[in-house]
Amino acid sequence: METTPFCGGQGRSPAYDYRVYDRVWQRVAPGMDPFSQDPGAGMEAPETAPAPVPQTAAPVPVQEGGGGNLPGAEPDPCCMGTEARESLEVLESFLQEELAESRAFLTITTYGMTVRVKGLQEINWDCVILDEAQAIKNAGTKQTREIKKLSSRMRIVMTGTPIENELMNLWSLFDFLNKGLLGTAKEFHEYCKNLNQHPEGYMRLKTMVSPFMLRRVKTDKKIISDLPEKLESVDYVALTKKQVVLYRKAVADMERLIGEVKGIKRSGIILTTIMKLKQICNHPDQFLGQSAYTMEESGKLLMLKDICETIYERRERVIVFTQFKEITEYLAAFLEQVFGRKGHVLHGGTPVAKRGKIVEDFQGEKYVPFMVVSVKAGGTGLNLTKANHVIHFDRWWNPAVENQATDRAFRIGQKKDVVVHKLVCQGTIEEKIDAMIESKKELAENVIGSGGEKWITELSNDELMSMLKLEMK
């Protein structure tokens, strides 16, 4: 049986050819770092892994974070010089010819190459499998539109987060799998808008999609009999006096501004305020752009110290997740004082080669007490089972994304019970949205009504002030 990883090599194992693929890109654009955030150097690794397009159904290897040569992204042609773009065009032409001549049973490629190599759309595949299928969650992107042009007798998608941001993500997956099942995008959007008033609609939606889903959860002992328990708790934190003053001022400023504008300007003011409130809840210095990060000025740092002192006494390890890259180094410096030794920081600007070394060091026998990770860069793909404590320093406000981040520790290979702490500032927007998320989880198993914080912009001024104002107990 012949297998072709569609990236310039034949007759070898897929894992080998993923490594070959990495070197092919280095030949296309010498010296480029595909994972760098510098626009002149390529682009940062996305949250998604390579997407297979097999001729018939077959298992497909998935990228694991810290995998050395395994690529997670392709260079963006618009970021390349003329020579690099010409080399890329030559490579695409070569792959087009190779595809036309291939009689392989299995073809493996990436989402990016599917967009560029049009020959993939000219074949009537027996089966198309999308791994990490949240890559097509946004129906309006060019990548999603091109993937949906692939023709096949059978289609399969594999994902741990079918609803990563909003229910329209689920619609996009089913638009690929079984077009028309959930209606048009406009019809489904209107259906979702009424779910808050008619929550029974969640059950109707679940009834429609469940016959097409096979779900596997780690907590099912029939699947993984030896996986330890996951113990989750919400730790409520009081704001300091400085945080209270800044929080109230930010809300008052927003109340004054939204009374003067409408439409997109109003939405922009609200979303900007929400970001400010998140920063204030973390530490006043994050909001003010200062660098002292004194522990006494942040309720979360005080709580973090208490939790981590207990972890240190047990000689255990912890992963601290934040959605803000700019505070990762400050958190690491703070934790270094608590543990009395260095840990690691991993975010979108961490070079790919360094990522592998960081994971290897953290997973090694030497005691590395902590790792601070930005959710976007390390929320998927990493294997960090040496840690049995996870702290969400700030909330992503999307249970699926938080669960994926937690699963860097709670996964096969974990030997201890995993303790998860979610820090929430009492009386603030964090507490109110946490309560909403929990009620939605109970109602629809992680299906939330809309994405991120955008739904908040649709509230009336009175509802908005009730949501954002600080409630001191």
Side-chain angles (χ1 to χ4, degrees):
M1 183 181 299
E2 186 182 0
T3 300
T4 301
F6 185 48
C7 52
Q10 278 189 306
R12 307 179 182 92
S13 73
Y16 175 88
D17 275 280
Y18 274 136
R19 292 193 291 272
V20 169
Y21 192 32
D22 191 32
R23 293 196 294 274
V24 167
W25 281 122
Q26 292 304 319
R27 289 198 300 272
V28 169
M32 286 185 60
D33 178 6
F35 295 90
S36 172
Q37 286 189 315
D38 179 2
M43 67 180 184
E44 181 183 348
E47 293 297 304
T48 54
V53 185
Q55 189 142 4
T56 55
V60 179
V62 184
Q63 175 198 355
E64 281 291 338
N69 292 324
L70 298 184
E74 299 168 15
D76 185 349
C78 68
C79 297
M80 297 179 180
T82 303
E83 182 178 349
R85 282 198 298 271
E86 290 176 352
S87 298
L88 180 58
E89 291 169 1
V90 170
L91 175 62
E92 291 174 8
S93 176
F94 168 75
L95 294 180
Q96 184 85 26
E97 294 174 4
E98 186 179 80
L99 179 65
E101 298 172 359
S102 174
R103 296 295 179 267
F105 167 77
L106 175 66
T107 299
I108 302 174
T109 188
T110 65
Y111 287 105
M113 292 305 290
T114 304
V115 172
R116 288 195 281 270
V117 181
K118 298 300 181 182
L120 291 165
Q121 298 175 4
E122 298 170 2
I123 298 174
N124 187 24
W125 302 96
D126 293 313
C127 180
V128 172
I129 302 176
L130 304 185
D131 190 24
E132 299 290 355
Q134 64 268 23
I136 64 165
K137 67 184 179 184
N138 296 323
T141 65
K142 180 181 178 181
Q143 174 173 282
T144 300
R145 294 196 302 269
E146 294 300 313
I147 292 293
K148 290 179 179 180
K149 290 178 182 178
L150 295 169
S151 61
S152 63
R153 293 193 302 107
M154 177 168 50
R155 295 184 172 193
I156 298 171
V157 300
M158 300 186 293
T159 176
T161 52
I163 303 164
E164 192 166 84
N165 291 318
E166 57 181 349
L167 282 174
M168 288 304 298
N169 298 162
L170 184 68
W171 179 87
S172 186
L173 294 183
F174 272 91
D175 185 53
F176 170 79
L177 284 172
N178 198 337
K179 192 174 183 66
L181 178 70
L182 299 182
T184 65
K186 183 178 180 181
E187 290 169 341
F188 189 74
H189 180 70
E190 290 299 315
Y191 180 83
C192 293
K193 284 172 62 177
N194 297 321
L195 288 177
N196 286 336
Q197 289 74 33
H198 303 283
E200 65 275 7
Y202 284 105
M203 184 55 66
R204 183 184 172 196
L205 175 59
K206 185 176 180 181
T207 302
M208 291 179 66
V209 301
S210 58
F212 303 95
M213 297 175 66
L214 292 174
R215 189 181 182 198
R216 186 192 77 163
V217 293
K218 295 175 185 174
T219 51
D220 188 344
K221 297 298 182 182
K222 292 181 293 185
I223 296 173
I224 308 174
S225 60
D226 59 346
L227 191 66
E229 297 296 322
K230 179 172 67 171
L231 310 172
E232 297 185 271
S233 67
V234 176
D235 296 290
Y236 293 100
V237 178
L239 295 180
T240 64
K241 290 181 180 179
K242 188 173 183 178
Q243 287 176 300
V244 169
V245 171
L246 292 172
Y247 191 100
R248 284 178 170 165
K249 185 179 185 304
V251 174
D253 289 345
M254 183 205 69
E255 183 177 19
R256 175 177 52 82
L257 292 171
I258 61 173
E260 303 169 357
V261 295
K262 294 182 179 180
I264 192 169
K265 287 186 177 180
R266 180 180 182 273
S267 297
I269 291 170
I270 294 169
L271 293 174
T272 299
T273 301
I274 290 172
M275 186 61 66
K276 291 177 181 178
L277 297 181
K278 286 183 179 183
Q279 293 172 334
I280 293 168
C281 286
N282 281 350
H283 198 289
D285 286 353
Q286 183 184 354
F287 169 68
L288 297 171
Q290 299 173 355
S291 59
Y293 280 81
T294 306
M295 179 178 65
E296 289 74 18
E297 292 185 347
S298 168
K300 285 188 178 182
L301 284 189
L302 291 167
M303 176 66 75
L304 184 63
K305 179 176 180 289
D306 289 343
I307 296 172
C308 289
E309 282 179 343
T310 302
I311 294 172
Y312 178 61
E313 289 170 3
R314 298 176 179 177
R315 301 287 288 181
E316 294 177 335
R317 310 186 195 205
V318 62
I319 310 167
V320 179
F321 283 105
T322 175
Q323 67 183 94
F324 296 100
K325 174 188 171 184
E326 66 263 25
I327 68 168
T328 54
E329 296 293 345
Y330 295 110
L331 288 176
F334 176 77
L335 291 172
E336 186 178 336
Q337 293 178 349
V338 175
F339 285 99
R341 59 178 67 206
K342 291 183 178 294
H344 288 297
V345 174
L346 194 152
H347 51 64
T350 307
V352 62
K354 188 177 179 181
R355 293 183 190 208
K357 293 178 181 177
I358 287 173
V359 172
E360 183 179 352
D361 188 48
F362 188 78
Q363 290 288 93
E365 294 302 318
K366 183 183 70 173
Y367 181 52
V368 180
F370 68 87
M371 183 184 294
V372 180
V373 183
S374 67
V375 174
K376 271 296 188 182
T380 59
L382 299 180
N383 182 9
L384 302 172
T385 52
K386 281 289 186 177
N388 65 308
H389 295 269
V390 174
I391 299 174
H392 292 280
F393 189 75
D394 42 58
R395 305 300 301 277
W396 189 258
W397 297 348
N398 181 333
V401 173
E402 278 194 348
N403 289 341
Q404 271 209 332
T406 297
D407 287 350
R408 299 316 96 215
F410 185 64
R411 59 195 298 118
I412 296 173
Q414 180 58 257
K415 303 300 181 185
K416 300 178 181 179
D417 290 346
V418 175
V419 182
V420 183
H421 296 271
K422 300 173 182 179
L423 306 190
V424 172
C425 286
Q426 207 164 14
T428 70
I429 186 176
E430 286 190 340
E431 183 177 6
K432 296 168 187 177
I433 293 186
D434 175 71
M436 286 187 175
I437 287 176
E438 290 304 313
S439 65
K440 296 289 186 181
K441 286 168 66 177
E442 293 175 8
L443 182 65
E445 294 184 39
N446 284 3
V447 177
I448 57 177
S450 61
E453 305 95 356
K454 291 182 181 178
W455 60 273
I456 300 178
T457 66
E458 299 173 4
L459 298 176
S460 69
N461 286 359
D462 290 341
E463 291 171 326
L464 185 66
M465 296 311 300
S466 176
M467 166 72 68
L468 297 184
K469 73 179 181 180
L470 183 61
E471 295 182 356
M472 303 297 291
K473 299 180 180 179

